């Protein structure tokens, strides 16, 4: 066999080897890309679930802190209600002393108002404005008065004043 005939036999073999190498390379690369994409997808789903769990735990913690805060404020206000058992003449003066003490002990409360059954303002003690005694201001049309009931707790909207 001559050198030219040997070359003719080697060329077809090398083309087949190149085709197989290319095919195997594409197959391996495709498998690696698909595997990588699947790993990214499942990793994303796991991270998303972990973040949701952390957010849920933080939300529960915040809700517990808020509930504790509200119960504390509720307890602070609760001890001012015993003046209702006094004579009407002594009640306003006694409530005023209790409300001033409440504002000193509970810095989160900036204003407290006592309304009579008709919705007329009998006493308002505030950190930011002048106290009002028996002003008689009609507040019966306000949502807080209309929503209140002697046997049901009602929480008004929270108001922020000057970032406080």
């Amino acid at each position: 066999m001559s050198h030219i005939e040997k070359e003719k036999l080697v060329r077809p073999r090398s083309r087949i080897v190149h085709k197989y190498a290319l095919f195997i390379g594409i197959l391996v690369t495709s498998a690696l890309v698909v595997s990588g994409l699947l790993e990214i997808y499942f990793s994303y789903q796991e991270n998303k679930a972990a973040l949701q769990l952390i957010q849920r735990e933080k939300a529960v913690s915040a809700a517990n802190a808020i509930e504790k805060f509200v119960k504390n404020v509720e307890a602070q206000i609760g001890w001012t209600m015993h003046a209702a058992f006094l004579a009407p003449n002594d009640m306003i003066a006694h409530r005023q002393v209790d409300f001033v003490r409440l504002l000193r002990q509970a810095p989160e409360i900036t204003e407290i108002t006592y309304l009579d059954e008709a919705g007329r303002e009998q006493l308002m003690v505030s950190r930011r404005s002048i106290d009002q005694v028996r002003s008689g201001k009609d507040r019966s049309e306000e949502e807080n008065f209309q929503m209140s009931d002697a046997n049901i707790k009602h929480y008004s909207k929270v108001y922020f004043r000057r970032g406080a």
Side-chain angles (χ1 to χ4, degrees):
M1 232 186 224
S2 71
H3 181 62
I4 295 175
E5 289 175 350
K6 285 182 180 177
E7 224 176 87
K8 285 181 181 179
L9 287 175
V10 171
R11 281 186 186 161
R13 286 185 191 159
S14 68
R15 285 185 208 158
I16 290 175
V17 169
H18 286 295
K19 286 180 183 178
Y20 280 130
L22 182 63
F23 177 73
I24 290 172
I26 290 172
L27 192 63
V28 169
T29 304
S30 300
L32 288 174
V33 167
V34 169
S35 173
L37 290 175
L38 285 173
E39 187 174 335
I40 288 171
Y41 173 76
F42 287 117
S43 175
Y44 171 76
Q45 293 300 325
E46 287 174 3
N47 286 335
K48 186 174 155 184
L51 284 173
Q52 287 175 342
L53 181 63
I54 290 170
Q55 287 176 342
R56 187 174 295 115
E57 288 174 356
K58 285 186 177 185
V60 167
S61 176
N64 288 337
I66 291 169
E67 181 181 20
K68 183 179 176 183
F69 175 81
V70 169
K71 286 191 183 287
N72 182 38
V73 170
E74 206 174 75
Q76 293 284 344
I77 292 172
W79 61 259
T80 64
M81 295 298 115
H82 68 277
F85 302 109
L86 298 173
N89 294 337
D90 299 334
M91 183 174 51
I92 297 296
H94 196 73
R95 276 195 197 274
Q96 186 173 16
V97 171
D98 284 348
F99 287 1
V100 168
R101 190 176 334 140
L102 173 67
L103 293 183
R104 286 186 189 144
Q105 292 179 352
E108 58 274 1
I109 299 173
T110 58
E111 182 176 291
I112 186 165
T113 305
Y114 171 69
L115 307 177
D116 64 12
E117 299 84 26
R120 303 245 180 238
E121 186 176 281
Q122 297 300 313
L123 177 64
M124 191 271 299
V125 179
S126 175
R127 295 179 193 278
R128 301 185 185 257
S129 62
I130 298 173
D131 294 354
Q132 302 284 326
V133 179
R134 289 190 173 100
S135 69
K137 180 180 174 184
D138 185 13
R139 298 177 79 173
S140 62
E141 296 301 317
E142 293 181 14
E143 178 187 3
N144 289 336
F145 180 76
Q146 292 179 353
M147 296 296 292
S148 67
D149 187 340
N151 299 322
I152 299 173
K153 292 179 185 176
H154 167 70
Y155 298 100
S156 69
K157 296 176 185 173
V158 176
Y159 300 97
F160 293 97
R161 292 187 179 175
R162 297 181 203 145

mmCIF file of all heavy atoms in Angstrom, residues 52-98:
data_model
loop_
_atom_site.group_PDB
_atom_site.id
_atom_site.type_symbol
_atom_site.label_atom_id
_atom_site.label_comp_id
_atom_site.label_asym_id
_atom_site.label_seq_id
_atom_site.Cartn_x
_atom_site.Cartn_y
_atom_site.Cartn_z
ATOM 1 N N GLN A 52 -39.431 33.004 53.164
ATOM 2 C CA GLN A 52 -40.818 33.098 53.612
ATOM 3 C C GLN A 52 -40.952 32.666 55.069
ATOM 4 O O GLN A 52 -41.687 33.286 55.841
ATOM 5 C CB GLN A 52 -41.729 32.255 52.727
ATOM 6 C CG GLN A 52 -41.955 32.851 51.357
ATOM 7 C CD GLN A 52 -42.763 31.935 50.441
ATOM 8 O OE1 GLN A 52 -42.884 30.743 50.685
ATOM 9 N NE2 GLN A 52 -43.297 32.507 49.377
ATOM 10 N N LEU A 53 -40.235 31.632 55.451
ATOM 11 C CA LEU A 53 -40.264 31.164 56.835
ATOM 12 C C LEU A 53 -39.689 32.227 57.769
ATOM 13 O O LEU A 53 -40.274 32.519 58.825
ATOM 14 C CB LEU A 53 -39.481 29.854 56.967
ATOM 15 C CG LEU A 53 -39.438 29.230 58.353
ATOM 16 C CD1 LEU A 53 -40.850 28.833 58.794
ATOM 17 C CD2 LEU A 53 -38.519 28.035 58.366
ATOM 18 N N ILE A 54 -38.591 32.848 57.373
ATOM 19 C CA ILE A 54 -37.984 33.909 58.193
ATOM 20 C C ILE A 54 -38.932 35.090 58.308
ATOM 21 O O ILE A 54 -39.115 35.652 59.399
ATOM 22 C CB ILE A 54 -36.624 34.333 57.600
ATOM 23 C CG1 ILE A 54 -35.594 33.222 57.788
ATOM 24 C CG2 ILE A 54 -36.127 35.630 58.231
ATOM 25 C CD1 ILE A 54 -34.297 33.448 57.024
ATOM 26 N N GLN A 55 -39.552 35.484 57.200
ATOM 27 C CA GLN A 55 -40.496 36.608 57.232
ATOM 28 C C GLN A 55 -41.702 36.285 58.112
ATOM 29 O O GLN A 55 -42.181 37.145 58.847
ATOM 30 C CB GLN A 55 -40.950 36.958 55.820
ATOM 31 C CG GLN A 55 -39.881 37.647 55.002
ATOM 32 C CD GLN A 55 -40.320 37.906 53.572
ATOM 33 O OE1 GLN A 55 -41.273 37.301 53.077
ATOM 34 N NE2 GLN A 55 -39.616 38.797 52.905
ATOM 35 N N ARG A 56 -42.181 35.059 58.047
ATOM 36 C CA ARG A 56 -43.317 34.656 58.870
ATOM 37 C C ARG A 56 -42.940 34.729 60.348
ATOM 38 O O ARG A 56 -43.708 35.227 61.175
ATOM 39 C CB ARG A 56 -43.765 33.242 58.508
ATOM 40 C CG ARG A 56 -45.048 32.812 59.193
ATOM 41 C CD ARG A 56 -45.561 31.462 58.706
ATOM 42 N NE ARG A 56 -45.956 31.531 57.315
ATOM 43 C CZ ARG A 56 -45.368 30.863 56.317
ATOM 44 N NH1 ARG A 56 -44.368 30.052 56.566
ATOM 45 N NH2 ARG A 56 -45.792 30.983 55.077
ATOM 46 N N GLU A 57 -41.726 34.254 60.687
ATOM 47 C CA GLU A 57 -41.269 34.306 62.078
ATOM 48 C C GLU A 57 -41.132 35.752 62.556
ATOM 49 O O GLU A 57 -41.505 36.077 63.686
ATOM 50 C CB GLU A 57 -39.945 33.571 62.222
ATOM 51 C CG GLU A 57 -40.071 32.061 62.123
ATOM 52 C CD GLU A 57 -38.732 31.345 62.114
ATOM 53 O OE1 GLU A 57 -37.678 32.028 62.108
ATOM 54 O OE2 GLU A 57 -38.730 30.109 62.110
ATOM 55 N N LYS A 58 -40.612 36.620 61.700
ATOM 56 C CA LYS A 58 -40.485 38.030 62.074
ATOM 57 C C LYS A 58 -41.854 38.682 62.245
ATOM 58 O O LYS A 58 -42.044 39.490 63.148
ATOM 59 C CB LYS A 58 -39.667 38.788 61.033
ATOM 60 C CG LYS A 58 -38.187 38.489 61.109
ATOM 61 C CD LYS A 58 -37.394 39.359 60.157
ATOM 62 C CE LYS A 58 -35.918 39.094 60.306
ATOM 63 N NZ LYS A 58 -35.113 39.996 59.490
ATOM 64 N N ALA A 59 -42.796 38.330 61.378
ATOM 65 C CA ALA A 59 -44.149 38.885 61.487
ATOM 66 C C ALA A 59 -44.814 38.431 62.786
ATOM 67 O O ALA A 59 -45.467 39.234 63.464
ATOM 68 C CB ALA A 59 -44.991 38.476 60.283
ATOM 69 N N VAL A 60 -44.652 37.175 63.142
ATOM 70 C CA VAL A 60 -45.224 36.666 64.390
ATOM 71 C C VAL A 60 -44.581 37.360 65.579
ATOM 72 O O VAL A 60 -45.263 37.761 66.537
ATOM 73 C CB VAL A 60 -45.063 35.123 64.479
ATOM 74 C CG1 VAL A 60 -45.349 34.612 65.879
ATOM 75 C CG2 VAL A 60 -45.965 34.445 63.473
ATOM 76 N N SER A 61 -43.283 37.545 65.524
ATOM 77 C CA SER A 61 -42.575 38.233 66.598
ATOM 78 C C SER A 61 -43.047 39.678 66.734
ATOM 79 O O SER A 61 -43.274 40.168 67.843
ATOM 80 C CB SER A 61 -41.066 38.190 66.328
ATOM 81 O OG SER A 61 -40.370 38.930 67.288
ATOM 82 N N ALA A 62 -43.209 40.364 65.603
ATOM 83 C CA ALA A 62 -43.700 41.747 65.630
ATOM 84 C C ALA A 62 -45.126 41.797 66.167
ATOM 85 O O ALA A 62 -45.469 42.684 66.966
ATOM 86 C CB ALA A 62 -43.631 42.358 64.235
ATOM 87 N N ALA A 63 -45.965 40.859 65.754
ATOM 88 C CA ALA A 63 -47.346 40.822 66.242
ATOM 89 C C ALA A 63 -47.381 40.595 67.749
ATOM 90 O O ALA A 63 -48.186 41.217 68.461
ATOM 91 C CB ALA A 63 -48.135 39.729 65.520
ATOM 92 N N ASN A 64 -46.512 39.732 68.248
ATOM 93 C CA ASN A 64 -46.453 39.500 69.691
ATOM 94 C C ASN A 64 -46.000 40.744 70.436
ATOM 95 O O ASN A 64 -46.523 41.063 71.506
ATOM 96 C CB ASN A 64 -45.526 38.322 70.010
ATOM 97 C CG ASN A 64 -46.128 36.991 69.621
ATOM 98 O OD1 ASN A 64 -47.339 36.851 69.517
ATOM 99 N ND2 ASN A 64 -45.276 36.004 69.392
ATOM 100 N N ALA A 65 -45.016 41.453 69.884
ATOM 101 C CA ALA A 65 -44.539 42.684 70.509
ATOM 102 C C ALA A 65 -45.642 43.743 70.528
ATOM 103 O O ALA A 65 -45.831 44.439 71.533
ATOM 104 C CB ALA A 65 -43.303 43.205 69.783
ATOM 105 N N ILE A 66 -46.382 43.856 69.430
ATOM 106 C CA ILE A 66 -47.481 44.823 69.368
ATOM 107 C C ILE A 66 -48.581 44.440 70.365
ATOM 108 O O ILE A 66 -49.119 45.298 71.068
ATOM 109 C CB ILE A 66 -48.034 44.926 67.932
ATOM 110 C CG1 ILE A 66 -46.992 45.580 67.027
ATOM 111 C CG2 ILE A 66 -49.348 45.686 67.895
ATOM 112 C CD1 ILE A 66 -47.311 45.491 65.553
ATOM 113 N N GLU A 67 -48.896 43.158 70.431
ATOM 114 C CA GLU A 67 -49.927 42.707 71.364
ATOM 115 C C GLU A 67 -49.516 43.002 72.806
ATOM 116 O O GLU A 67 -50.327 43.480 73.607
ATOM 117 C CB GLU A 67 -50.175 41.205 71.188
ATOM 118 C CG GLU A 67 -51.251 40.665 72.099
ATOM 119 C CD GLU A 67 -51.478 39.172 71.930
ATOM 120 O OE1 GLU A 67 -50.591 38.482 71.403
ATOM 121 O OE2 GLU A 67 -52.560 38.715 72.333
ATOM 122 N N LYS A 68 -48.256 42.762 73.125
ATOM 123 C CA LYS A 68 -47.748 43.050 74.469
ATOM 124 C C LYS A 68 -47.838 44.547 74.756
ATOM 125 O O LYS A 68 -48.238 44.955 75.850
ATOM 126 C CB LYS A 68 -46.305 42.565 74.580
ATOM 127 C CG LYS A 68 -45.699 42.740 75.936
ATOM 128 C CD LYS A 68 -44.280 42.203 75.974
ATOM 129 C CE LYS A 68 -43.634 42.464 77.319
ATOM 130 N NZ LYS A 68 -42.234 42.015 77.331
ATOM 131 N N PHE A 69 -47.477 45.367 73.775
ATOM 132 C CA PHE A 69 -47.547 46.821 73.925
ATOM 133 C C PHE A 69 -48.985 47.271 74.178
ATOM 134 O O PHE A 69 -49.258 48.046 75.098
ATOM 135 C CB PHE A 69 -46.984 47.490 72.670
ATOM 136 C CG PHE A 69 -47.112 48.982 72.668
ATOM 137 C CD1 PHE A 69 -46.211 49.768 73.362
ATOM 138 C CD2 PHE A 69 -48.135 49.601 71.974
ATOM 139 C CE1 PHE A 69 -46.322 51.143 73.364
ATOM 140 C CE2 PHE A 69 -48.269 50.981 71.965
ATOM 141 C CZ PHE A 69 -47.350 51.749 72.670
ATOM 142 N N VAL A 70 -49.933 46.762 73.385
ATOM 143 C CA VAL A 70 -51.341 47.146 73.527
ATOM 144 C C VAL A 70 -51.878 46.695 74.883
ATOM 145 O O VAL A 70 -52.594 47.449 75.563
ATOM 146 C CB VAL A 70 -52.184 46.577 72.367
ATOM 147 C CG1 VAL A 70 -53.671 46.723 72.631
ATOM 148 C CG2 VAL A 70 -51.805 47.257 71.068
ATOM 149 N N LYS A 71 -51.544 45.489 75.307
ATOM 150 C CA LYS A 71 -52.013 45.004 76.615
ATOM 151 C C LYS A 71 -51.447 45.861 77.747
ATOM 152 O O LYS A 71 -52.141 46.122 78.731
ATOM 153 C CB LYS A 71 -51.654 43.535 76.801
ATOM 154 C CG LYS A 71 -52.521 42.615 75.968
ATOM 155 C CD LYS A 71 -52.312 41.170 76.369
ATOM 156 C CE LYS A 71 -53.117 40.257 75.494
ATOM 157 N NZ LYS A 71 -54.537 40.289 75.751
ATOM 158 N N ASN A 72 -50.196 46.305 77.601
ATOM 159 C CA ASN A 72 -49.589 47.165 78.610
ATOM 160 C C ASN A 72 -50.329 48.507 78.683
ATOM 161 O O ASN A 72 -50.640 48.998 79.767
ATOM 162 C CB ASN A 72 -48.108 47.385 78.304
ATOM 163 C CG ASN A 72 -47.421 48.224 79.351
ATOM 164 O OD1 ASN A 72 -47.697 48.112 80.539
ATOM 165 N ND2 ASN A 72 -46.524 49.085 78.914
ATOM 166 N N VAL A 73 -50.610 49.101 77.524
ATOM 167 C CA VAL A 73 -51.351 50.369 77.494
ATOM 168 C C VAL A 73 -52.748 50.167 78.066
ATOM 169 O O VAL A 73 -53.251 50.983 78.847
ATOM 170 C CB VAL A 73 -51.406 50.937 76.053
ATOM 171 C CG1 VAL A 73 -52.373 52.097 75.971
ATOM 172 C CG2 VAL A 73 -50.027 51.353 75.591
ATOM 173 N N GLU A 74 -53.370 49.067 77.706
ATOM 174 C CA GLU A 74 -54.708 48.740 78.201
ATOM 175 C C GLU A 74 -54.704 48.625 79.733
ATOM 176 O O GLU A 74 -55.605 49.123 80.410
ATOM 177 C CB GLU A 74 -55.130 47.411 77.579
ATOM 178 C CG GLU A 74 -56.588 47.196 77.463
ATOM 179 C CD GLU A 74 -56.867 45.914 76.692
ATOM 180 O OE1 GLU A 74 -56.684 44.816 77.262
ATOM 181 O OE2 GLU A 74 -57.250 46.022 75.526
ATOM 182 N N ALA A 75 -53.679 47.973 80.272
ATOM 183 C CA ALA A 75 -53.569 47.832 81.730
ATOM 184 C C ALA A 75 -53.352 49.190 82.391
ATOM 185 O O ALA A 75 -53.911 49.474 83.456
ATOM 186 C CB ALA A 75 -52.428 46.882 82.076
ATOM 187 N N GLN A 76 -52.537 50.026 81.750
ATOM 188 C CA GLN A 76 -52.295 51.370 82.300
ATOM 189 C C GLN A 76 -53.596 52.170 82.347
ATOM 190 O O GLN A 76 -53.869 52.864 83.324
ATOM 191 C CB GLN A 76 -51.267 52.120 81.444
ATOM 192 C CG GLN A 76 -49.879 51.555 81.477
ATOM 193 C CD GLN A 76 -49.154 51.914 82.770
ATOM 194 O OE1 GLN A 76 -49.544 52.800 83.500
ATOM 195 N NE2 GLN A 76 -48.090 51.191 83.037
ATOM 196 N N ILE A 77 -54.384 52.094 81.288
ATOM 197 C CA ILE A 77 -55.650 52.842 81.239
ATOM 198 C C ILE A 77 -56.663 52.228 82.203
ATOM 199 O O ILE A 77 -57.461 52.948 82.812
ATOM 200 C CB ILE A 77 -56.201 52.867 79.796
ATOM 201 C CG1 ILE A 77 -55.282 53.703 78.913
ATOM 202 C CG2 ILE A 77 -57.614 53.419 79.758
ATOM 203 C CD1 ILE A 77 -55.611 53.647 77.437
ATOM 204 N N GLY A 78 -56.616 50.927 82.373
ATOM 205 C CA GLY A 78 -57.601 50.218 83.199
ATOM 206 C C GLY A 78 -57.695 50.729 84.622
ATOM 207 O O GLY A 78 -58.796 50.823 85.178
ATOM 208 N N TRP A 79 -56.567 51.069 85.228
ATOM 209 C CA TRP A 79 -56.646 51.506 86.626
ATOM 210 C C TRP A 79 -57.242 52.907 86.774
ATOM 211 O O TRP A 79 -57.561 53.329 87.887
ATOM 212 C CB TRP A 79 -55.308 51.390 87.339
ATOM 213 C CG TRP A 79 -54.174 52.204 86.786
ATOM 214 C CD1 TRP A 79 -53.168 51.762 85.995
ATOM 215 C CD2 TRP A 79 -53.921 53.602 87.009
ATOM 216 N NE1 TRP A 79 -52.321 52.788 85.697
ATOM 217 C CE2 TRP A 79 -52.745 53.926 86.309
ATOM 218 C CE3 TRP A 79 -54.572 54.611 87.718
ATOM 219 C CZ2 TRP A 79 -52.215 55.212 86.294
ATOM 220 C CZ3 TRP A 79 -54.035 55.885 87.708
ATOM 221 C CH2 TRP A 79 -52.863 56.177 87.010
ATOM 222 N N THR A 80 -57.446 53.633 85.673
ATOM 223 C CA THR A 80 -58.074 54.953 85.771
ATOM 224 C C THR A 80 -59.600 54.856 85.791
ATOM 225 O O THR A 80 -60.270 55.854 86.020
ATOM 226 C CB THR A 80 -57.652 55.854 84.596
ATOM 227 O OG1 THR A 80 -58.135 55.303 83.375
ATOM 228 C CG2 THR A 80 -56.152 56.032 84.535
ATOM 229 N N MET A 81 -60.161 53.685 85.569
ATOM 230 C CA MET A 81 -61.611 53.534 85.446
ATOM 231 C C MET A 81 -62.331 53.417 86.780
ATOM 232 O O MET A 81 -63.548 53.477 86.834
ATOM 233 C CB MET A 81 -61.941 52.291 84.603
ATOM 234 C CG MET A 81 -61.474 52.403 83.161
ATOM 235 S SD MET A 81 -62.269 53.752 82.303
ATOM 236 C CE MET A 81 -60.887 54.828 81.985
ATOM 237 N N HIS A 82 -61.627 53.271 87.872
ATOM 238 C CA HIS A 82 -62.302 53.086 89.156
ATOM 239 C C HIS A 82 -63.035 54.346 89.618
ATOM 240 O O HIS A 82 -63.884 54.286 90.493
ATOM 241 C CB HIS A 82 -61.311 52.624 90.230
ATOM 242 C CG HIS A 82 -60.313 53.666 90.609
ATOM 243 N ND1 HIS A 82 -59.175 53.879 89.877
ATOM 244 C CD2 HIS A 82 -60.298 54.567 91.628
ATOM 245 C CE1 HIS A 82 -58.490 54.861 90.424
ATOM 246 N NE2 HIS A 82 -59.142 55.301 91.485
ATOM 247 N N ALA A 83 -62.772 55.500 89.008
ATOM 248 C CA ALA A 83 -63.450 56.741 89.399
ATOM 249 C C ALA A 83 -64.935 56.710 89.071
ATOM 250 O O ALA A 83 -65.700 57.531 89.584
ATOM 251 C CB ALA A 83 -62.788 57.935 88.712
ATOM 252 N N ALA A 84 -65.374 55.798 88.265
ATOM 253 C CA ALA A 84 -66.792 55.707 87.897
ATOM 254 C C ALA A 84 -67.665 55.378 89.106
ATOM 255 O O ALA A 84 -68.867 55.626 89.085
ATOM 256 C CB ALA A 84 -66.981 54.651 86.820
ATOM 257 N N PHE A 85 -67.074 54.855 90.170
ATOM 258 C CA PHE A 85 -67.839 54.472 91.357
ATOM 259 C C PHE A 85 -67.954 55.615 92.360
ATOM 260 O O PHE A 85 -68.570 55.456 93.396
ATOM 261 C CB PHE A 85 -67.199 53.245 92.014
ATOM 262 C CG PHE A 85 -67.124 52.075 91.080
ATOM 263 C CD1 PHE A 85 -65.911 51.655 90.570
ATOM 264 C CD2 PHE A 85 -68.276 51.405 90.691
ATOM 265 C CE1 PHE A 85 -65.848 50.582 89.702
ATOM 266 C CE2 PHE A 85 -68.213 50.332 89.811
ATOM 267 C CZ PHE A 85 -66.998 49.922 89.319
ATOM 268 N N LEU A 86 -67.360 56.761 92.057
ATOM 269 C CA LEU A 86 -67.415 57.915 92.952
ATOM 270 C C LEU A 86 -68.650 58.756 92.671
ATOM 271 O O LEU A 86 -69.305 58.607 91.637
ATOM 272 C CB LEU A 86 -66.164 58.778 92.774
ATOM 273 C CG LEU A 86 -64.826 58.116 93.107
ATOM 274 C CD1 LEU A 86 -63.684 59.030 92.712
ATOM 275 C CD2 LEU A 86 -64.742 57.781 94.593
ATOM 276 N N ALA A 87 -68.931 59.681 93.560
ATOM 277 C CA ALA A 87 -70.042 60.616 93.351
ATOM 278 C C ALA A 87 -69.727 61.491 92.151
ATOM 279 O O ALA A 87 -68.560 61.810 91.894
ATOM 280 C CB ALA A 87 -70.228 61.480 94.596
ATOM 281 N N PRO A 88 -70.738 61.889 91.370
ATOM 282 C CA PRO A 88 -70.504 62.671 90.149
ATOM 283 C C PRO A 88 -69.671 63.929 90.366
ATOM 284 O O PRO A 88 -68.862 64.291 89.520
ATOM 285 C CB PRO A 88 -71.912 63.022 89.673
ATOM 286 C CG PRO A 88 -72.780 61.954 90.245
ATOM 287 C CD PRO A 88 -72.153 61.568 91.542
ATOM 288 N N ASN A 89 -69.825 64.583 91.499
ATOM 289 C CA ASN A 89 -69.057 65.806 91.750
ATOM 290 C C ASN A 89 -67.571 65.516 91.940
ATOM 291 O O ASN A 89 -66.724 66.312 91.553
ATOM 292 C CB ASN A 89 -69.600 66.545 92.981
ATOM 293 C CG ASN A 89 -71.001 67.059 92.735
ATOM 294 O OD1 ASN A 89 -71.408 67.258 91.590
ATOM 295 N ND2 ASN A 89 -71.751 67.257 93.807
ATOM 296 N N ASP A 90 -67.252 64.397 92.586
ATOM 297 C CA ASP A 90 -65.853 64.044 92.855
ATOM 298 C C ASP A 90 -65.200 63.329 91.667
ATOM 299 O O ASP A 90 -63.980 63.303 91.566
ATOM 300 C CB ASP A 90 -65.768 63.115 94.077
ATOM 301 C CG ASP A 90 -66.296 63.775 95.335
ATOM 302 O OD1 ASP A 90 -66.256 65.020 95.406
ATOM 303 O OD2 ASP A 90 -66.751 63.037 96.235
ATOM 304 N N MET A 91 -66.026 62.778 90.818
ATOM 305 C CA MET A 91 -65.508 61.923 89.750
ATOM 306 C C MET A 91 -64.575 62.666 88.786
ATOM 307 O O MET A 91 -63.491 62.177 88.468
ATOM 308 C CB MET A 91 -66.670 61.309 88.961
ATOM 309 C CG MET A 91 -66.215 60.360 87.874
ATOM 310 S SD MET A 91 -67.562 59.503 87.048
ATOM 311 C CE MET A 91 -68.658 60.804 86.592
ATOM 312 N N ILE A 92 -64.937 63.857 88.319
ATOM 313 C CA ILE A 92 -64.125 64.582 87.333
ATOM 314 C C ILE A 92 -62.776 64.957 87.928
ATOM 315 O O ILE A 92 -61.733 64.761 87.302
ATOM 316 C CB ILE A 92 -64.877 65.834 86.815
ATOM 317 C CG1 ILE A 92 -66.152 65.415 86.078
ATOM 318 C CG2 ILE A 92 -63.979 66.663 85.906
ATOM 319 C CD1 ILE A 92 -65.918 64.613 84.822
ATOM 320 N N ALA A 93 -62.771 65.471 89.150
ATOM 321 C CA ALA A 93 -61.515 65.870 89.802
ATOM 322 C C ALA A 93 -60.620 64.644 90.008
ATOM 323 O O ALA A 93 -59.405 64.705 89.771
ATOM 324 C CB ALA A 93 -61.795 66.566 91.125
ATOM 325 N N HIS A 94 -61.228 63.542 90.426
ATOM 326 C CA HIS A 94 -60.450 62.318 90.657
ATOM 327 C C HIS A 94 -59.906 61.762 89.336
ATOM 328 O O HIS A 94 -58.750 61.328 89.257
ATOM 329 C CB HIS A 94 -61.319 61.278 91.367
ATOM 330 C CG HIS A 94 -60.545 60.173 91.983
ATOM 331 N ND1 HIS A 94 -59.791 60.337 93.117
ATOM 332 C CD2 HIS A 94 -60.383 58.885 91.591
ATOM 333 C CE1 HIS A 94 -59.203 59.195 93.412
ATOM 334 N NE2 HIS A 94 -59.553 58.290 92.502
ATOM 335 N N ARG A 95 -60.725 61.772 88.298
ATOM 336 C CA ARG A 95 -60.265 61.309 86.976
ATOM 337 C C ARG A 95 -59.120 62.182 86.468
ATOM 338 O O ARG A 95 -58.190 61.680 85.851
ATOM 339 C CB ARG A 95 -61.408 61.330 85.962
ATOM 340 C CG ARG A 95 -62.271 60.111 85.996
ATOM 341 C CD ARG A 95 -63.134 60.063 84.740
ATOM 342 N NE ARG A 95 -64.242 59.159 84.907
ATOM 343 C CZ ARG A 95 -64.183 57.850 84.683
ATOM 344 N NH1 ARG A 95 -63.070 57.311 84.286
ATOM 345 N NH2 ARG A 95 -65.248 57.091 84.847
ATOM 346 N N GLN A 96 -59.205 63.479 86.693
ATOM 347 C CA GLN A 96 -58.153 64.372 86.210
ATOM 348 C C GLN A 96 -56.818 64.013 86.863
ATOM 349 O O GLN A 96 -55.792 63.936 86.182
ATOM 350 C CB GLN A 96 -58.502 65.834 86.479
ATOM 351 C CG GLN A 96 -57.506 66.791 85.858
ATOM 352 C CD GLN A 96 -57.947 68.236 85.975
ATOM 353 O OE1 GLN A 96 -58.838 68.582 86.753
ATOM 354 N NE2 GLN A 96 -57.308 69.090 85.197
ATOM 355 N N VAL A 97 -56.836 63.766 88.154
ATOM 356 C CA VAL A 97 -55.607 63.356 88.852
ATOM 357 C C VAL A 97 -55.111 62.026 88.286
ATOM 358 O O VAL A 97 -53.913 61.854 88.016
ATOM 359 C CB VAL A 97 -55.855 63.256 90.375
ATOM 360 C CG1 VAL A 97 -54.670 62.612 91.084
ATOM 361 C CG2 VAL A 97 -56.148 64.636 90.952
ATOM 362 N N ASP A 98 -56.020 61.076 88.078
ATOM 363 C CA ASP A 98 -55.638 59.771 87.520
ATOM 364 C C ASP A 98 -55.079 59.914 86.102
ATOM 365 O O ASP A 98 -54.091 59.260 85.748
ATOM 366 C CB ASP A 98 -56.838 58.822 87.497
ATOM 367 C CG ASP A 98 -57.162 58.266 88.869
ATOM 368 O OD1 ASP A 98 -56.338 58.417 89.790
ATOM 369 O OD2 ASP A 98 -58.255 57.668 89.005
#
